[in-house]
Amino acid sequence: MSKITESRKNLQAKDAAGLEAEVKALQKAHFGLRMQKGTQQLNNTATLRSTRREIARAKTILAQKRSADAAAK
């Protein structure tokens, strides 16, 4: 199984509150990486792209869960 598929399954297993916490943590990590890049301390700039995509994945799954909850009501 690929790393992306494992990440997606881990995110889908979380509830809405867990996903919101995950998004906040990823955004904080992304900010830290941007600051490292700005001060020339970041060696692997590909991590910026991967964290940005992880944030998008988490937000997408969160939106899907919220719309499913709204449809169930």
Side-chain angles (χ1 to χ4, degrees), residues 6-18:
E6 290 176 15
S7 171
R8 190 174 297 136
K9 288 188 181 210
N10 290 338
L11 289 172
Q12 288 174 342
K14 294 184 178 186
D15 61 342

Side-chain angles (χ1 to χ4, degrees), residues 61-72:
I61 293 171
L62 181 61
Q64 289 171 350
K65 286 188 184 266
R66 284 183 176 161
S67 67
D69 288 345

